Amino acid sequence: GEDVEQSLFLSVREGDSSVINCTYTDSSSTYLYWYKQEPGAGLQLLTYIFSNMDMKQDQRLTVLLNKKDKHLSLRIADTQTGDSAIYFCAESRDTGFQKLVFGTGTRLLVSP
Amino acid sequence: KAGVTQTPRYLIKTRGQQVTLSCSPISGHRSVSWYQQTPGQGLQFLFEYFSETQRNKGNFPGRFSGRQFSNSRSEMNVSTLELGDSALYLCASSLDSMGNTEAFFGQGTRLTVV
């Protein structure tokens, strides 16, 4: 199946860490992505991880991948109010064309 | 380097009309894919073009079509518009057609059908 699941909502206080979770069903996924969408805007690519990796760190962002459980997470350290947005995970399969299957999106609200 | 450019940003059309949306990819990128975003269905894949060829199509009716030009710019067309076609249409640009490179999105075209 193509379902990619995310929790709908996460609320944190400024300065805390945020962890956004994602589960996917297709074990053939090769790349997994995290995108950010602010109101009225398109999708901003935050980071991605190849399926043979367990972890990737990029400044305040840490991606963890548990391939056995098909679980992906995005940790944002020192969350700021500017991080408030909807976060989408997406999977891509190495099928010869660029098709992303997106999760439902997690709305992150950061309060001062 | 310029990002992905979509035009127009906003569009209002009447039921039964047709509409054409445009996407200019990042310079040097040859793959363009299109997505529809609605509150009810989320982000759904429409189709992908590479070197002027449609490589794959999502589960949308034939009213949705597209094409890609030799300069990699792409257009999508929706004919006989329905109210349910109201959505944010996003295009993504990537270097090649393999699913192993980064896809960069434009700001989208918000289509409202009345």
Side-chain angles (χ1 to χ4, degrees), chain A residues 32-52:
Chain A
L32 295 137
Y33 301 84
W34 284 102
Y35 284 88
K36 175 184 179 183
Q37 187 176 38
E38 296 181 82
L43 298 172
Q44 175 193 351
L45 176 63
L46 290 176
T47 186
Y48 65 94
I49 188 168
F50 187 50
S51 59
N52 69 354

Side-chain angles (χ1 to χ4, degrees), chain A residues 30-31 33 35 37 40-45 48 50 88 92-104, chain B residues 9-10 31 33 35 37 43 45 48 55-56 88 90 94 96-108:
Chain A
T30 51
Y31 281 80
Y33 301 84
Y35 284 88
Q37 187 176 38
L43 298 172
Q44 175 193 351
L45 176 63
Y48 65 94
F50 187 50
F88 292 93
S92 171
R93 299 155 199 173
D94 189 7
T95 51
F97 52 85
Q98 185 63 273
K99 173 183 176 181
L100 298 176
V101 177
F102 284 89
T104 47
Chain B
R9 288 292 311 277
Y10 303 93
S31 170
S33 45
Y35 294 81
Q37 185 178 27
L43 280 151
F45 173 78
E48 189 253 1
R55 289 302 190 97
N56 195 41
L88 180 67
L90 293 161
S94 43
D96 61 31
S97 68
M98 299 300 291
N100 57 0
T101 60
E102 298 157 76
F104 298 92
F105 283 79
Q107 294 295 297

Side-chain angles (χ1 to χ4, degrees), chain A residues 10-25:
Chain A
L10 176 65
S11 180
V12 300
R13 300 192 74 89
E14 194 172 23
D16 288 349
S17 291
S18 307
V19 179
I20 302 171
N21 295 301
C22 170
T23 56
Y24 58 99
T25 55

Side-chain angles (χ1 to χ4, degrees), chain A residues 16 24 27 49-50 55 62 67 79 84 87 95 98 102 110 112:
Chain A
D16 288 349
Y24 58 99
S27 56
I49 188 168
F50 187 50
M55 185 184 89
T62 303
K67 200 171 178 184
T79 315
S84 293
Y87 290 80
T95 51
Q98 185 63 273
F102 284 89
V110 184

